Amino acid sequence: MTETLSLDRLAGRVADGAVLALPPDYSFVPMAAVRALVRRPVRNLNLLTVPQAGIAADLLIGASCVATIETAAVSLGELGNAPRFTAAVEGGRLAIRESTCPAIHAALQAGEKGVPFMPLRGLIGSDLVAARPDWRVIDNPLADGGDPIVVLPALRPDVALFHAPFADEQGNVWLGARRELVTMAHAARETLVTVEEVRACDLLADDALAAGTLPALYVTALAEAPEGAWPLGLPGRYEADRDHLAEYARLAASEEGFAEYCAEHVDEDVTGLCAAE
Amino acid sequence: MNPDKTALLIETIAGMLEGLGRVAVGASSPIPAAAALLARERGGGRPALSLLGSQAGSDMTDGGRELFDRAGQGRIDAFFLGGVQIDGGASINLVGTGPHPAASKRFPGSYGSAYLYFVVPRVILFRIEHTPRTLVRKVDFVSAPGTSPAGVYRPGGPYALVTGRCVFRFAPEARRFRLVSLHPGHDLDEVRTNTGFDFDCNEEPPVTPAPEPETLALIRGPVGEALAEVYPRFAAGLRDGN
């Protein structure tokens, strides 16, 4: 049974030291929940970006919430490098598990299937293989010898966290075409979701909606967080706040600027939702 | 960059996409995206395109993995990659410079390069900055290798390298780049001085052909319009010719 919690209670479900899977900047990023995690503050997270990340990871890293990150890339896109990520790696303060986009997708697919590994083409000869002793190169067992191929251990994140347009009262969550979030939730042990709104309907009753719905079975807990993706956009709902993102990029370029940004936009609950239980 | 150079690069890359069935363009790649749109415009709808980061320009419904699954099956004919460093063997580095992991300069990461470089038949490397810092003898970190030993599954790989100064084609047998044209206003000595790796070339390489007026009209018109959803500022610049 899916629980409905306040935003801060939901953030409280992410244990210190957890493996936390987060979506990429184009896909339903739970920014309000990330700010709640920073306020708490959560510590020693092992971030898994599915498959890359932007401001959400940068914010958690800058706020000293992260011990390790497994990622294909962290960047602010057109606004340039992710400043706190970059500084943390260059300063040796963040352990990084280098990956590549399809490896993260494939390893999560192994996780959702309950199988121990997934093979993936490519990779051989990349320094990623040397940087990832948990990846193995084997010979294709179905070929007549030779044909080396990389196998990736299944990924089972402790928690998947994302933001969605709406859920129904049973805890079914509508994700539309954002299938990477479905895979993330299938593979994760627990899934925490913030939504713009909870609707009085049954998303599974209508095939047109059901095809884009994550069933409540996977959803551990929900919290309502209107504009919960801000300052990123929610496709079909609201655009990214480009001015704000540019301000983040400018301030986060230095540690002092990052502290100033947090004091203004993170430390206070700007949505006013924390108190509401 | 001046509008003539932008149009020249768009025209050059578009010429490499003619006759292909499907081209995908990654995020933060306005010039390759413009080139792909130009090729489609001139080809009467071919190649079909998948523009990442675009609602209207993407036809994918199976999440982030679908691009890679398509590429793995051979459904993507061309893709674009860049690099913090690109070396003379076409290996690319998107991770950082200096020793790994505590890089002296860290960049975002490898994205999908370590896979797409192996499975997409025609990968076009694009890096405007053409200096000894970007085009190096050997990359500090191999995000994806330019070539692979016999026996490693590799239907794809590097096709060309387009920079702000010239166009190279990659010769897989020689495992080397060959300079095929110099952009207007650039010469061979300058390219040699600014390239950290050895490459092959003729004594007098031709000049990269500039776009015809009809092509410029397409770039300022339908290409700019289609690009505006993903790259509003870049598209506005194209349409104003600056």
Side-chain angles (χ1 to χ4, degrees):
Chain A
M1 178 66 194
T2 304
E3 292 178 85
T4 303
L5 303 171
S6 72
L7 184 59
D8 277 359
R9 284 277 169 87
L10 186 90
R13 291 296 187 88
V14 181
D16 287 354
V19 176
L20 175 66
L22 285 174
D25 274 4
Y26 56 76
S27 178
F28 295 5
V29 182
M31 288 304 298
V34 164
R35 287 188 292 272
L37 285 171
V38 171
R39 278 196 298 275
R40 200 177 100 194
V42 71
R43 290 289 180 236
N44 293 317
L45 286 177
N46 300 288
L47 283 190
L48 170 68
T49 71
V50 181
Q52 68 217 36
I55 186 174
D58 205 57
L59 200 56
L60 288 165
I61 292 164
S64 305
C65 300
V66 181
T68 73
I69 185 167
E70 175 162 1
T71 189
V74 185
S75 154
L76 300 183
E78 284 183 294
L79 294 169
N81 290 338
R84 292 298 92 207
F85 162 78
T86 307
V89 177
E90 289 175 359
R93 296 189 302 277
L94 177 65
I96 181 159
R97 289 158 69 84
E98 301 280 355
S99 192
T100 181
C101 305
I104 291 174
H105 291 306
L108 285 170
Q109 284 182 276
E112 73 179 342
K113 290 178 199 303
V115 297
F117 61 84
M118 190 69 79
L120 187 69
R121 287 299 192 186
L123 301 173
I124 294 168
S126 165
D127 285 344
L128 292 176
V129 178
R132 291 296 303 260
D134 56 327
W135 295 359
R136 301 279 168 79
V137 183
I138 63 165
D139 280 351
N140 172 1
L142 304 181
D144 299 325
D147 193 16
I149 188 166
V150 174
V151 292
L152 314 158
L155 281 169
R156 298 284 323 266
D158 294 320
V159 183
L161 175 64
F162 46 83
H163 182 70
F166 54 89
D168 65 18
E169 286 166 326
Q170 294 74 48
N172 302 304
V173 176
W174 188 81
L175 295 173
R178 299 276 40 115
R179 306 295 301 177
E180 60 275 339
L181 302 183
V182 174
T183 305
M184 227 166 98
H186 287 178
R189 295 174 206 284
E190 295 200 344
T191 294
L192 305 173
V193 185
T194 58
V195 291
E196 292 288 314
E197 55 176 327
V198 175
R199 291 186 182 172
C201 65
D202 180 358
L203 288 172
L204 299 180
D206 173 356
D207 265 2
L209 288 171
T213 295
L214 176 70
L217 156 69
Y218 301 99
V219 183
T220 314
L222 275 176
E224 277 191 277
E227 296 185 28
W230 177 88
L232 295 170
L234 192 63
R237 292 289 182 113
Y238 45 88
E239 296 285 313
D241 184 342
R242 291 178 192 278
D243 291 343
H244 185 94
L245 291 170
E247 189 196 1
Y248 175 81
R250 186 177 62 79
L251 287 173
S254 72
E255 230 165 285
E256 302 71 39
F258 179 78
E260 190 187 316
Y261 176 89
C262 288
E264 178 133 358
H265 299 291
V266 180
D267 295 347
E268 301 281 319
D269 172 23
V270 288
T271 60
L273 282 168
C274 289
E277 194 61 17
Chain B
M1 198 163 55
N2 74 56
D4 291 350
K5 178 62 79 67
T6 304
L8 181 85
L9 295 172
I10 293 170
E11 161 76 10
T12 301
I13 295 171
M16 297 174 181
L17 306 176
E18 249 169 59
L20 299 182
R22 178 169 292 277
V23 174
V25 186
S28 306
S29 309
I31 288 178
L37 287 162
L38 175 61
R40 184 177 70 178
E41 199 66 36
R42 291 200 294 217
R46 245 177 91 90
L49 304 183
S50 303
L51 301 183
L52 268 69
S54 163
Q55 295 276 318
S58 170
D59 59 349
M60 291 184 279
T61 57
D62 202 22
R65 72 174 178 235
E66 186 171 357
L67 169 71
F68 305 103
D69 291 349
R70 285 184 182 189
Q73 291 183 318
R75 294 179 193 267
I76 307 282
D77 300 313
F79 192 74
F80 304 89
L81 290 172
V84 176
Q85 297 175 322
I86 298 168
D87 73 22
S91 291
I92 60 173
N93 170 12
L94 288 85
V95 160
T97 55
H100 185 265
S104 47
K105 189 85 184 80
R106 173 74 200 195
F107 288 85
S110 298
Y111 290 101
S113 65
Y115 175 80
L116 292 173
Y117 213 18
F118 287 79
V119 294
V120 176
R122 185 171 292 196
V123 176
I124 296 165
L125 302 175
F126 178 59
R127 181 75 212 240
I128 293 174
E129 184 187 335
H130 181 152
T131 64
R133 189 178 77 131
T134 56
L135 304 192
V136 299
R137 199 182 64 76
K138 198 166 184 333
V139 293
D140 293 348
F141 184 94
V142 178
S143 286
T147 54
S148 300
V152 171
Y153 179 83
R154 185 150 195 185
Y159 176 77
L161 165 60
V162 178
T163 76
R165 299 182 200 272
C166 69
V167 179
F168 296 101
R169 283 284 301 273
F170 190 70
E173 317 74 39
R175 304 192 170 198
R176 279 166 70 87
F177 283 107
R178 177 173 195 84
L179 190 149
V180 292
S181 70
L182 291 161
H183 299 337
H186 298 276
D187 64 50
L188 190 52
D189 280 350
E190 170 210 321
V191 166
R192 283 218 169 95
T193 308
N194 283 285
T195 307
F197 55 75
D198 287 336
F199 55 87
D200 298 322
C201 74
N202 298 331
E203 277 313 307
E204 289 187 20
V207 175
T208 311
E212 302 288 337
E214 306 84 75
T215 299
L216 290 175
L218 287 176
I219 292 173
R220 290 191 187 128
V223 168
E225 277 164 38
L227 212 54
E229 183 212 343
V230 194
Y231 303 105
R233 287 177 59 193
F234 181 81
L238 277 187
R239 281 177 290 179
D240 299 344
N242 57 42

